[in-house]
Amino acid sequence: MDSVTHLLSHFALSAGVFYTGNICGLHDFPQDEQRGHLHLIRSGHLQVIGVRTVDFAISEPTLLFLPRPDNHRLLADEQAGADVVCGTVQFGGGGSNPISDSLPDVVLIELRHLPGVDALLDMMFEEAFADHCGRQAVMDRLCEILIIRLLRYAIAQGQTQGGTLAGLADPRLRRVLEAIHEAPGRDWSLESMAAQAGMSRARFASRFREVTGETPAEYLASWRVMSAQRLLKKGLQLKRIATDVGYGSTSALARAFVRKLGCSPSEWLSNFSYDARRP
């Protein structure tokens, strides 16, 4: 299983296209703490405002992805406009996750570097302006394929900022990360992780932090808490969850939640349930 498929088996990808067509003038997009924002510029000229310290222009077909979008604007020519696809992207239900957290604030890829994307765009625009059954579902699935292409390119070109994606791109660290992801409840130690990587303890610890930006212990704790969050969403009992993710008691799991998230498991679940009900 490749790195992207491996991660998506834990954090399901969900994309939603909310606009396809020509835009003119100024368009505002709000901050979004739960979703990334995708802007695919098929043709035309755009000024991008608010995603970097200096505004910048896009003058050729480009894919712009903002994993953690703040308030931003797209400014197109009033007459000619620009043909765009705009959508939202979630991994595992939204918010912080190892995929978007591994990417820089702005991912900018010229479409000529993404082979085969022209066919995806043709299908998107065909669906957008036709009255076929299931048109929205088709556009959303095509957008998901586009994001997978983007992740593949970002890993291959080293456009990650550490984290899980960078670790999975390293052949030795990948063996350790995949083992942790599949069995977070195992009694992991620095020795056992180093052995999984086929490295000495000192070399493994140094390499892990250099590539991912975290110590092995910090990464393990973060993954265990994220695994617990997924199990909480499924309605499992806290005692079982604590055992499944590697904590000896519910109080130990609660302490881990407070360290990582600043709240208890029950408080987190209550906040998640509230956010899920919001429009």
Side-chain angles (χ1 to χ4, degrees):
M1 185 183 294
D2 64 85
S3 299
V4 173
T5 302
H6 169 77
L7 266 186
L8 292 179
S9 70
H10 293 278
F11 295 90
L13 167 62
S14 175
V17 174
F18 61 83
Y19 184 81
T20 305
N22 188 270
I23 62 171
C24 300
L26 188 63
H27 293 260
D28 290 295
F29 300 87
Q31 180 184 22
D32 197 331
E33 296 180 354
Q34 295 298 315
R35 292 163 288 271
H37 283 197
L38 171 77
H39 302 297
L40 195 156
I41 297 86
R42 190 186 194 193
S43 64
H45 298 264
L46 277 178
Q47 188 82 8
V48 182
I49 304 167
V51 300
R52 284 180 174 169
T53 54
V54 178
D55 301 338
F56 61 95
I58 293 176
S59 58
E60 63 178 284
T62 297
L63 179 59
L64 170 63
F65 180 52
L66 310 175
R68 297 165 294 279
D70 206 337
N71 298 320
H72 60 285
R73 294 174 156 189
L74 300 181
L75 176 61
D77 183 85
E78 288 284 1
Q79 300 301 318
D83 288 336
V84 302
V85 174
C86 297
T88 57
V89 180
Q90 289 181 296
F91 297 102
S96 179
N97 63 82
I99 301 177
S100 57
D101 290 352
S102 296
L103 295 170
D105 291 337
V106 181
V107 180
L108 201 63
I109 305 173
E110 295 174 356
L111 295 188
R112 58 190 173 89
H113 296 308
L114 293 175
V117 75
D118 288 342
L120 285 176
L121 293 182
D122 288 343
M123 292 178 68
M124 279 184 173
F125 276 81
E126 177 187 346
E127 289 292 334
F129 297 107
D131 191 23
H132 300 313
C133 295
R135 59 185 291 274
Q136 184 65 49
V138 171
M139 288 192 294
D140 293 347
R141 298 298 85 75
L142 292 172
C143 188
E144 290 171 6
I145 294 172
L146 190 61
I147 287 296
I148 293 172
R149 294 280 188 92
L150 177 148
L151 293 174
R152 182 189 298 170
Y153 179 87
I155 292 173
Q157 299 299 316
Q159 290 192 11
T160 58
Q161 57 173 17
T164 302
L165 290 179
L168 288 172
D170 183 292
R172 290 190 178 187
L173 297 186
R174 175 179 174 176
R175 295 200 294 266
V176 182
L177 295 184
E178 290 182 346
I180 290 173
H181 296 170
E182 294 302 326
R186 179 175 163 183
D187 185 17
W188 290 104
S189 65
L190 183 60
E191 290 83 357
S192 62
M193 286 188 273
Q196 188 83 28
M199 304 168 72
S200 69
R201 284 177 42 182
R203 177 60 182 150
F204 168 72
S206 175
R207 180 63 177 166
F208 195 98
R209 185 159 197 165
E210 174 189 348
V211 172
T212 68
E214 295 182 279
T215 68
E218 289 169 342
Y219 186 91
L220 175 62
S222 295
W223 188 267
R224 282 174 166 171
V225 168
M226 284 186 288
S227 298
Q229 289 175 290
R230 293 199 300 274
L231 295 175
L232 280 169
K233 293 177 193 176
K234 293 180 179 180
L236 273 66
Q237 293 297 311
L238 200 59
K239 185 175 181 180
R240 176 183 169 183
I241 293 173
T243 301
D244 287 349
V245 302
Y247 290 101
S249 65
T250 56
S251 59
L253 176 59
R255 289 193 295 271
F257 258 69
V258 171
R259 284 195 300 272
K260 291 293 180 181
L261 305 175
C263 62
S264 69
S266 58
E267 289 170 336
W268 177 85
L269 185 60
S270 177
N271 291 334
F272 170 79
S273 299
Y274 173 76
D275 288 340
R277 293 193 299 268
R278 293 171 63 186

PDB file of all heavy atoms in Angstrom, residues 127-162:
ATOM      1  N   GLU A 127     -20.033  18.355 -16.390  1.00  0.00           N
ATOM      2  CA  GLU A 127     -21.069  18.078 -15.386  1.00  0.00           C
ATOM      3  C   GLU A 127     -21.693  19.363 -14.859  1.00  0.00           C
ATOM      4  O   GLU A 127     -22.891  19.427 -14.602  1.00  0.00           O
ATOM      5  CB  GLU A 127     -20.459  17.283 -14.224  1.00  0.00           C
ATOM      6  CG  GLU A 127     -20.100  15.854 -14.551  1.00  0.00           C
ATOM      7  CD  GLU A 127     -21.322  14.984 -14.797  1.00  0.00           C
ATOM      8  OE1 GLU A 127     -22.409  15.303 -14.260  1.00  0.00           O
ATOM      9  OE2 GLU A 127     -21.198  13.993 -15.535  1.00  0.00           O
ATOM     10  N   ALA A 128     -20.885  20.405 -14.689  1.00  0.00           N
ATOM     11  CA  ALA A 128     -21.368  21.648 -14.102  1.00  0.00           C
ATOM     12  C   ALA A 128     -22.465  22.292 -14.931  1.00  0.00           C
ATOM     13  O   ALA A 128     -23.400  22.896 -14.386  1.00  0.00           O
ATOM     14  CB  ALA A 128     -20.214  22.624 -13.916  1.00  0.00           C
ATOM     15  N   PHE A 129     -22.360  22.177 -16.240  1.00  0.00           N
ATOM     16  CA  PHE A 129     -23.298  22.877 -17.116  1.00  0.00           C
ATOM     17  C   PHE A 129     -24.297  21.942 -17.791  1.00  0.00           C
ATOM     18  O   PHE A 129     -25.006  22.346 -18.707  1.00  0.00           O
ATOM     19  CB  PHE A 129     -22.529  23.678 -18.164  1.00  0.00           C
ATOM     20  CG  PHE A 129     -21.671  24.749 -17.549  1.00  0.00           C
ATOM     21  CD1 PHE A 129     -20.292  24.606 -17.498  1.00  0.00           C
ATOM     22  CD2 PHE A 129     -22.244  25.879 -16.994  1.00  0.00           C
ATOM     23  CE1 PHE A 129     -19.505  25.587 -16.915  1.00  0.00           C
ATOM     24  CE2 PHE A 129     -21.460  26.856 -16.405  1.00  0.00           C
ATOM     25  CZ  PHE A 129     -20.090  26.712 -16.364  1.00  0.00           C
ATOM     26  N   ALA A 130     -24.350  20.710 -17.325  1.00  0.00           N
ATOM     27  CA  ALA A 130     -25.334  19.757 -17.839  1.00  0.00           C
ATOM     28  C   ALA A 130     -26.358  19.471 -16.743  1.00  0.00           C
ATOM     29  O   ALA A 130     -26.138  19.768 -15.570  1.00  0.00           O
ATOM     30  CB  ALA A 130     -24.646  18.469 -18.280  1.00  0.00           C
ATOM     31  N   ASP A 131     -27.459  18.900 -17.110  1.00  0.00           N
ATOM     32  CA  ASP A 131     -28.537  18.637 -16.154  1.00  0.00           C
ATOM     33  C   ASP A 131     -28.664  17.130 -15.941  1.00  0.00           C
ATOM     34  O   ASP A 131     -29.734  16.556 -16.040  1.00  0.00           O
ATOM     35  CB  ASP A 131     -29.854  19.222 -16.672  1.00  0.00           C
ATOM     36  CG  ASP A 131     -30.937  19.204 -15.599  1.00  0.00           C
ATOM     37  OD1 ASP A 131     -30.578  19.166 -14.415  1.00  0.00           O
ATOM     38  OD2 ASP A 131     -32.121  19.212 -15.961  1.00  0.00           O
ATOM     39  N   HIS A 132     -27.521  16.489 -15.635  1.00  0.00           N
ATOM     40  CA  HIS A 132     -27.516  15.044 -15.431  1.00  0.00           C
ATOM     41  C   HIS A 132     -27.842  14.696 -13.981  1.00  0.00           C
ATOM     42  O   HIS A 132     -27.512  15.460 -13.066  1.00  0.00           O
ATOM     43  CB  HIS A 132     -26.148  14.449 -15.785  1.00  0.00           C
ATOM     44  CG  HIS A 132     -25.743  14.671 -17.209  1.00  0.00           C
ATOM     45  ND1 HIS A 132     -26.594  14.437 -18.263  1.00  0.00           N
ATOM     46  CD2 HIS A 132     -24.567  15.094 -17.748  1.00  0.00           C
ATOM     47  CE1 HIS A 132     -25.967  14.710 -19.400  1.00  0.00           C
ATOM     48  NE2 HIS A 132     -24.731  15.121 -19.107  1.00  0.00           N
ATOM     49  N   CYS A 133     -28.454  13.546 -13.779  1.00  0.00           N
ATOM     50  CA  CYS A 133     -28.670  13.055 -12.425  1.00  0.00           C
ATOM     51  C   CYS A 133     -27.317  12.799 -11.755  1.00  0.00           C
ATOM     52  O   CYS A 133     -26.397  12.280 -12.387  1.00  0.00           O
ATOM     53  CB  CYS A 133     -29.483  11.756 -12.446  1.00  0.00           C
ATOM     54  SG  CYS A 133     -31.165  11.953 -13.058  1.00  0.00           S
ATOM     55  N   GLY A 134     -27.211  13.184 -10.504  1.00  0.00           N
ATOM     56  CA  GLY A 134     -25.983  12.924  -9.755  1.00  0.00           C
ATOM     57  C   GLY A 134     -24.823  13.823 -10.119  1.00  0.00           C
ATOM     58  O   GLY A 134     -23.675  13.510  -9.794  1.00  0.00           O
ATOM     59  N   ARG A 135     -25.094  14.972 -10.755  1.00  0.00           N
ATOM     60  CA  ARG A 135     -24.006  15.843 -11.215  1.00  0.00           C
ATOM     61  C   ARG A 135     -23.123  16.314 -10.072  1.00  0.00           C
ATOM     62  O   ARG A 135     -21.900  16.361 -10.207  1.00  0.00           O
ATOM     63  CB  ARG A 135     -24.561  17.046 -11.986  1.00  0.00           C
ATOM     64  CG  ARG A 135     -25.509  17.912 -11.199  1.00  0.00           C
ATOM     65  CD  ARG A 135     -26.132  19.032 -12.050  1.00  0.00           C
ATOM     66  NE  ARG A 135     -25.159  20.023 -12.424  1.00  0.00           N
ATOM     67  CZ  ARG A 135     -24.843  21.063 -11.658  1.00  0.00           C
ATOM     68  NH1 ARG A 135     -25.412  21.213 -10.481  1.00  0.00           N
ATOM     69  NH2 ARG A 135     -23.962  21.941 -12.070  1.00  0.00           N
ATOM     70  N   GLN A 136     -23.738  16.664  -8.918  1.00  0.00           N
ATOM     71  CA  GLN A 136     -22.942  17.138  -7.782  1.00  0.00           C
ATOM     72  C   GLN A 136     -22.036  16.034  -7.251  1.00  0.00           C
ATOM     73  O   GLN A 136     -20.861  16.274  -6.938  1.00  0.00           O
ATOM     74  CB  GLN A 136     -23.855  17.636  -6.661  1.00  0.00           C
ATOM     75  CG  GLN A 136     -23.100  18.250  -5.477  1.00  0.00           C
ATOM     76  CD  GLN A 136     -22.344  19.519  -5.865  1.00  0.00           C
ATOM     77  OE1 GLN A 136     -22.920  20.410  -6.489  1.00  0.00           O
ATOM     78  NE2 GLN A 136     -21.074  19.605  -5.497  1.00  0.00           N
ATOM     79  N   ALA A 137     -22.573  14.826  -7.171  1.00  0.00           N
ATOM     80  CA  ALA A 137     -21.770  13.701  -6.684  1.00  0.00           C
ATOM     81  C   ALA A 137     -20.591  13.421  -7.607  1.00  0.00           C
ATOM     82  O   ALA A 137     -19.482  13.133  -7.146  1.00  0.00           O
ATOM     83  CB  ALA A 137     -22.642  12.449  -6.549  1.00  0.00           C
ATOM     84  N   VAL A 138     -20.823  13.538  -8.911  1.00  0.00           N
ATOM     85  CA  VAL A 138     -19.740  13.316  -9.869  1.00  0.00           C
ATOM     86  C   VAL A 138     -18.648  14.376  -9.705  1.00  0.00           C
ATOM     87  O   VAL A 138     -17.455  14.074  -9.662  1.00  0.00           O
ATOM     88  CB  VAL A 138     -20.271  13.322 -11.321  1.00  0.00           C
ATOM     89  CG1 VAL A 138     -19.116  13.305 -12.312  1.00  0.00           C
ATOM     90  CG2 VAL A 138     -21.170  12.114 -11.552  1.00  0.00           C
ATOM     91  N   MET A 139     -19.060  15.657  -9.581  1.00  0.00           N
ATOM     92  CA  MET A 139     -18.068  16.725  -9.413  1.00  0.00           C
ATOM     93  C   MET A 139     -17.272  16.552  -8.114  1.00  0.00           C
ATOM     94  O   MET A 139     -16.057  16.779  -8.086  1.00  0.00           O
ATOM     95  CB  MET A 139     -18.760  18.087  -9.438  1.00  0.00           C
ATOM     96  CG  MET A 139     -19.258  18.497 -10.811  1.00  0.00           C
ATOM     97  SD  MET A 139     -19.746  20.246 -10.894  1.00  0.00           S
ATOM     98  CE  MET A 139     -21.161  20.255  -9.789  1.00  0.00           C
ATOM     99  N   ASP A 140     -17.962  16.138  -7.056  1.00  0.00           N
ATOM    100  CA  ASP A 140     -17.268  15.928  -5.784  1.00  0.00           C
ATOM    101  C   ASP A 140     -16.241  14.804  -5.887  1.00  0.00           C
ATOM    102  O   ASP A 140     -15.120  14.918  -5.379  1.00  0.00           O
ATOM    103  CB  ASP A 140     -18.276  15.614  -4.680  1.00  0.00           C
ATOM    104  CG  ASP A 140     -19.181  16.791  -4.343  1.00  0.00           C
ATOM    105  OD1 ASP A 140     -18.871  17.922  -4.792  1.00  0.00           O
ATOM    106  OD2 ASP A 140     -20.182  16.580  -3.645  1.00  0.00           O
ATOM    107  N   ARG A 141     -16.610  13.705  -6.547  1.00  0.00           N
ATOM    108  CA  ARG A 141     -15.665  12.589  -6.678  1.00  0.00           C
ATOM    109  C   ARG A 141     -14.467  12.990  -7.540  1.00  0.00           C
ATOM    110  O   ARG A 141     -13.323  12.612  -7.255  1.00  0.00           O
ATOM    111  CB  ARG A 141     -16.360  11.379  -7.314  1.00  0.00           C
ATOM    112  CG  ARG A 141     -17.514  10.785  -6.550  1.00  0.00           C
ATOM    113  CD  ARG A 141     -17.145  10.236  -5.178  1.00  0.00           C
ATOM    114  NE  ARG A 141     -17.152  11.260  -4.152  1.00  0.00           N
ATOM    115  CZ  ARG A 141     -18.257  11.779  -3.609  1.00  0.00           C
ATOM    116  NH1 ARG A 141     -19.459  11.390  -4.019  1.00  0.00           N
ATOM    117  NH2 ARG A 141     -18.184  12.687  -2.666  1.00  0.00           N
ATOM    118  N   LEU A 142     -14.714  13.767  -8.596  1.00  0.00           N
ATOM    119  CA  LEU A 142     -13.607  14.234  -9.434  1.00  0.00           C
ATOM    120  C   LEU A 142     -12.679  15.151  -8.641  1.00  0.00           C
ATOM    121  O   LEU A 142     -11.462  15.127  -8.816  1.00  0.00           O
ATOM    122  CB  LEU A 142     -14.158  14.960 -10.666  1.00  0.00           C
ATOM    123  CG  LEU A 142     -14.893  14.089 -11.689  1.00  0.00           C
ATOM    124  CD1 LEU A 142     -15.549  14.964 -12.754  1.00  0.00           C
ATOM    125  CD2 LEU A 142     -13.939  13.092 -12.348  1.00  0.00           C
ATOM    126  N   CYS A 143     -13.259  15.953  -7.750  1.00  0.00           N
ATOM    127  CA  CYS A 143     -12.455  16.833  -6.904  1.00  0.00           C
ATOM    128  C   CYS A 143     -11.589  16.010  -5.953  1.00  0.00           C
ATOM    129  O   CYS A 143     -10.424  16.355  -5.692  1.00  0.00           O
ATOM    130  CB  CYS A 143     -13.375  17.767  -6.122  1.00  0.00           C
ATOM    131  SG  CYS A 143     -12.502  19.069  -5.218  1.00  0.00           S
ATOM    132  N   GLU A 144     -12.117  14.917  -5.441  1.00  0.00           N
ATOM    133  CA  GLU A 144     -11.332  14.041  -4.579  1.00  0.00           C
ATOM    134  C   GLU A 144     -10.150  13.439  -5.325  1.00  0.00           C
ATOM    135  O   GLU A 144      -9.038  13.338  -4.794  1.00  0.00           O
ATOM    136  CB  GLU A 144     -12.232  12.944  -4.010  1.00  0.00           C
ATOM    137  CG  GLU A 144     -13.248  13.464  -2.993  1.00  0.00           C
ATOM    138  CD  GLU A 144     -14.275  12.428  -2.595  1.00  0.00           C
ATOM    139  OE1 GLU A 144     -14.137  11.256  -3.024  1.00  0.00           O
ATOM    140  OE2 GLU A 144     -15.222  12.781  -1.872  1.00  0.00           O
ATOM    141  N   ILE A 145     -10.379  13.044  -6.579  1.00  0.00           N
ATOM    142  CA  ILE A 145      -9.283  12.518  -7.398  1.00  0.00           C
ATOM    143  C   ILE A 145      -8.210  13.587  -7.590  1.00  0.00           C
ATOM    144  O   ILE A 145      -7.003  13.312  -7.515  1.00  0.00           O
ATOM    145  CB  ILE A 145      -9.808  12.036  -8.767  1.00  0.00           C
ATOM    146  CG1 ILE A 145     -10.738  10.828  -8.580  1.00  0.00           C
ATOM    147  CG2 ILE A 145      -8.654  11.675  -9.701  1.00  0.00           C
ATOM    148  CD1 ILE A 145     -11.453  10.409  -9.846  1.00  0.00           C
ATOM    149  N   LEU A 146      -8.651  14.817  -7.783  1.00  0.00           N
ATOM    150  CA  LEU A 146      -7.714  15.928  -7.964  1.00  0.00           C
ATOM    151  C   LEU A 146      -6.851  16.123  -6.718  1.00  0.00           C
ATOM    152  O   LEU A 146      -5.636  16.356  -6.812  1.00  0.00           O
ATOM    153  CB  LEU A 146      -8.496  17.196  -8.292  1.00  0.00           C
ATOM    154  CG  LEU A 146      -7.704  18.416  -8.756  1.00  0.00           C
ATOM    155  CD1 LEU A 146      -6.963  18.117 -10.038  1.00  0.00           C
ATOM    156  CD2 LEU A 146      -8.642  19.594  -8.946  1.00  0.00           C
ATOM    157  N   ILE A 147      -7.458  16.025  -5.543  1.00  0.00           N
ATOM    158  CA  ILE A 147      -6.712  16.187  -4.300  1.00  0.00           C
ATOM    159  C   ILE A 147      -5.696  15.050  -4.123  1.00  0.00           C
ATOM    160  O   ILE A 147      -4.573  15.269  -3.650  1.00  0.00           O
ATOM    161  CB  ILE A 147      -7.679  16.245  -3.102  1.00  0.00           C
ATOM    162  CG1 ILE A 147      -8.405  17.586  -3.096  1.00  0.00           C
ATOM    163  CG2 ILE A 147      -6.938  16.055  -1.789  1.00  0.00           C
ATOM    164  CD1 ILE A 147      -7.496  18.787  -2.882  1.00  0.00           C
ATOM    165  N   ILE A 148      -6.067  13.845  -4.498  1.00  0.00           N
ATOM    166  CA  ILE A 148      -5.122  12.731  -4.415  1.00  0.00           C
ATOM    167  C   ILE A 148      -3.928  12.982  -5.342  1.00  0.00           C
ATOM    168  O   ILE A 148      -2.768  12.735  -4.964  1.00  0.00           O
ATOM    169  CB  ILE A 148      -5.820  11.400  -4.757  1.00  0.00           C
ATOM    170  CG1 ILE A 148      -6.846  11.060  -3.670  1.00  0.00           C
ATOM    171  CG2 ILE A 148      -4.804  10.272  -4.893  1.00  0.00           C
ATOM    172  CD1 ILE A 148      -7.718   9.875  -3.999  1.00  0.00           C
ATOM    173  N   ARG A 149      -4.195  13.505  -6.519  1.00  0.00           N
ATOM    174  CA  ARG A 149      -3.101  13.871  -7.430  1.00  0.00           C
ATOM    175  C   ARG A 149      -2.209  14.936  -6.787  1.00  0.00           C
ATOM    176  O   ARG A 149      -0.986  14.905  -6.909  1.00  0.00           O
ATOM    177  CB  ARG A 149      -3.667  14.406  -8.752  1.00  0.00           C
ATOM    178  CG  ARG A 149      -4.425  13.387  -9.598  1.00  0.00           C
ATOM    179  CD  ARG A 149      -3.454  12.498 -10.371  1.00  0.00           C
ATOM    180  NE  ARG A 149      -4.133  11.654 -11.320  1.00  0.00           N
ATOM    181  CZ  ARG A 149      -4.363  11.959 -12.594  1.00  0.00           C
ATOM    182  NH1 ARG A 149      -3.949  13.131 -13.059  1.00  0.00           N
ATOM    183  NH2 ARG A 149      -4.983  11.132 -13.390  1.00  0.00           N
ATOM    184  N   LEU A 150      -2.840  15.903  -6.112  1.00  0.00           N
ATOM    185  CA  LEU A 150      -2.086  16.962  -5.454  1.00  0.00           C
ATOM    186  C   LEU A 150      -1.188  16.388  -4.353  1.00  0.00           C
ATOM    187  O   LEU A 150      -0.017  16.751  -4.241  1.00  0.00           O
ATOM    188  CB  LEU A 150      -3.064  17.988  -4.860  1.00  0.00           C
ATOM    189  CG  LEU A 150      -2.475  19.150  -4.057  1.00  0.00           C
ATOM    190  CD1 LEU A 150      -3.359  20.381  -4.231  1.00  0.00           C
ATOM    191  CD2 LEU A 150      -2.379  18.821  -2.569  1.00  0.00           C
ATOM    192  N   LEU A 151      -1.729  15.485  -3.529  1.00  0.00           N
ATOM    193  CA  LEU A 151      -0.935  14.880  -2.459  1.00  0.00           C
ATOM    194  C   LEU A 151       0.230  14.073  -3.017  1.00  0.00           C
ATOM    195  O   LEU A 151       1.354  14.130  -2.500  1.00  0.00           O
ATOM    196  CB  LEU A 151      -1.819  13.986  -1.588  1.00  0.00           C
ATOM    197  CG  LEU A 151      -2.896  14.694  -0.768  1.00  0.00           C
ATOM    198  CD1 LEU A 151      -3.793  13.674  -0.076  1.00  0.00           C
ATOM    199  CD2 LEU A 151      -2.274  15.627   0.254  1.00  0.00           C
ATOM    200  N   ARG A 152      -0.038  13.349  -4.077  1.00  0.00           N
ATOM    201  CA  ARG A 152       1.021  12.564  -4.723  1.00  0.00           C
ATOM    202  C   ARG A 152       2.155  13.475  -5.194  1.00  0.00           C
ATOM    203  O   ARG A 152       3.338  13.185  -4.984  1.00  0.00           O
ATOM    204  CB  ARG A 152       0.417  11.807  -5.918  1.00  0.00           C
ATOM    205  CG  ARG A 152       1.371  10.907  -6.664  1.00  0.00           C
ATOM    206  CD  ARG A 152       0.707  10.407  -7.942  1.00  0.00           C
ATOM    207  NE  ARG A 152      -0.480   9.603  -7.671  1.00  0.00           N
ATOM    208  CZ  ARG A 152      -1.336   9.228  -8.621  1.00  0.00           C
ATOM    209  NH1 ARG A 152      -1.159   9.606  -9.871  1.00  0.00           N
ATOM    210  NH2 ARG A 152      -2.365   8.472  -8.315  1.00  0.00           N
ATOM    211  N   TYR A 153       1.779  14.587  -5.792  1.00  0.00           N
ATOM    212  CA  TYR A 153       2.780  15.536  -6.295  1.00  0.00           C
ATOM    213  C   TYR A 153       3.542  16.185  -5.137  1.00  0.00           C
ATOM    214  O   TYR A 153       4.774  16.323  -5.185  1.00  0.00           O
ATOM    215  CB  TYR A 153       2.091  16.615  -7.133  1.00  0.00           C
ATOM    216  CG  TYR A 153       3.030  17.665  -7.688  1.00  0.00           C
ATOM    217  CD1 TYR A 153       3.677  17.457  -8.904  1.00  0.00           C
ATOM    218  CD2 TYR A 153       3.272  18.852  -7.001  1.00  0.00           C
ATOM    219  CE1 TYR A 153       4.543  18.408  -9.428  1.00  0.00           C
ATOM    220  CE2 TYR A 153       4.132  19.807  -7.513  1.00  0.00           C
ATOM    221  CZ  TYR A 153       4.765  19.584  -8.726  1.00  0.00           C
ATOM    222  OH  TYR A 153       5.623  20.536  -9.219  1.00  0.00           O
ATOM    223  N   ALA A 154       2.831  16.586  -4.080  1.00  0.00           N
ATOM    224  CA  ALA A 154       3.479  17.252  -2.951  1.00  0.00           C
ATOM    225  C   ALA A 154       4.512  16.360  -2.290  1.00  0.00           C
ATOM    226  O   ALA A 154       5.600  16.808  -1.911  1.00  0.00           O
ATOM    227  CB  ALA A 154       2.425  17.689  -1.931  1.00  0.00           C
ATOM    228  N   ILE A 155       4.200  15.073  -2.150  1.00  0.00           N
ATOM    229  CA  ILE A 155       5.159  14.138  -1.552  1.00  0.00           C
ATOM    230  C   ILE A 155       6.361  13.957  -2.462  1.00  0.00           C
ATOM    231  O   ILE A 155       7.516  14.024  -2.022  1.00  0.00           O
ATOM    232  CB  ILE A 155       4.485  12.783  -1.278  1.00  0.00           C
ATOM    233  CG1 ILE A 155       3.433  12.936  -0.173  1.00  0.00           C
ATOM    234  CG2 ILE A 155       5.518  11.736  -0.876  1.00  0.00           C
ATOM    235  CD1 ILE A 155       2.593  11.697   0.050  1.00  0.00           C
ATOM    236  N   ALA A 156       6.104  13.753  -3.758  1.00  0.00           N
ATOM    237  CA  ALA A 156       7.197  13.516  -4.710  1.00  0.00           C
ATOM    238  C   ALA A 156       8.125  14.712  -4.833  1.00  0.00           C
ATOM    239  O   ALA A 156       9.340  14.565  -5.010  1.00  0.00           O
ATOM    240  CB  ALA A 156       6.619  13.155  -6.077  1.00  0.00           C
ATOM    241  N   GLN A 157       7.574  15.918  -4.710  1.00  0.00           N
ATOM    242  CA  GLN A 157       8.364  17.134  -4.884  1.00  0.00           C
ATOM    243  C   GLN A 157       8.863  17.710  -3.560  1.00  0.00           C
ATOM    244  O   GLN A 157       9.457  18.788  -3.549  1.00  0.00           O
ATOM    245  CB  GLN A 157       7.527  18.197  -5.613  1.00  0.00           C
ATOM    246  CG  GLN A 157       7.079  17.793  -7.001  1.00  0.00           C
ATOM    247  CD  GLN A 157       8.262  17.523  -7.922  1.00  0.00           C
ATOM    248  OE1 GLN A 157       9.229  18.271  -7.944  1.00  0.00           O
ATOM    249  NE2 GLN A 157       8.184  16.426  -8.679  1.00  0.00           N
ATOM    250  N   GLY A 158       8.637  17.021  -2.465  1.00  0.00           N
ATOM    251  CA  GLY A 158       9.104  17.505  -1.171  1.00  0.00           C
ATOM    252  C   GLY A 158       8.407  18.764  -0.701  1.00  0.00           C
ATOM    253  O   GLY A 158       9.004  19.583  -0.002  1.00  0.00           O
ATOM    254  N   GLN A 159       7.133  18.935  -1.052  1.00  0.00           N
ATOM    255  CA  GLN A 159       6.388  20.125  -0.645  1.00  0.00           C
ATOM    256  C   GLN A 159       5.658  19.924   0.676  1.00  0.00           C
ATOM    257  O   GLN A 159       4.648  20.567   0.941  1.00  0.00           O
ATOM    258  CB  GLN A 159       5.399  20.531  -1.745  1.00  0.00           C
ATOM    259  CG  GLN A 159       6.050  21.081  -2.988  1.00  0.00           C
ATOM    260  CD  GLN A 159       5.036  21.740  -3.922  1.00  0.00           C
ATOM    261  OE1 GLN A 159       3.892  21.969  -3.554  1.00  0.00           O
ATOM    262  NE2 GLN A 159       5.452  22.054  -5.130  1.00  0.00           N
ATOM    263  N   THR A 160       6.161  19.038   1.504  1.00  0.00           N
ATOM    264  CA  THR A 160       5.591  18.856   2.828  1.00  0.00           C
ATOM    265  C   THR A 160       6.392  19.674   3.826  1.00  0.00           C
ATOM    266  O   THR A 160       7.507  20.099   3.549  1.00  0.00           O
ATOM    267  CB  THR A 160       5.627  17.370   3.235  1.00  0.00           C
ATOM    268  OG1 THR A 160       6.986  16.910   3.208  1.00  0.00           O
ATOM    269  CG2 THR A 160       4.793  16.528   2.277  1.00  0.00           C
ATOM    270  N   GLN A 161       5.817  19.889   5.002  1.00  0.00           N
ATOM    271  CA  GLN A 161       6.513  20.651   6.036  1.00  0.00           C
ATOM    272  C   GLN A 161       6.719  19.766   7.264  1.00  0.00           C
ATOM    273  O   GLN A 161       6.423  20.131   8.392  1.00  0.00           O
ATOM    274  CB  GLN A 161       5.728  21.908   6.409  1.00  0.00           C
ATOM    275  CG  GLN A 161       4.305  21.665   6.883  1.00  0.00           C
ATOM    276  CD  GLN A 161       3.638  22.933   7.385  1.00  0.00           C
ATOM    277  OE1 GLN A 161       4.091  24.040   7.106  1.00  0.00           O
ATOM    278  NE2 GLN A 161       2.572  22.779   8.147  1.00  0.00           N
ATOM    279  N   GLY A 162       7.258  18.581   7.022  1.00  0.00           N
ATOM    280  CA  GLY A 162       7.439  17.623   8.096  1.00  0.00           C
ATOM    281  C   GLY A 162       6.168  16.831   8.314  1.00  0.00           C
ATOM    282  O   GLY A 162       5.323  16.695   7.432  1.00  0.00           O
TER     283      GLY A 162
END
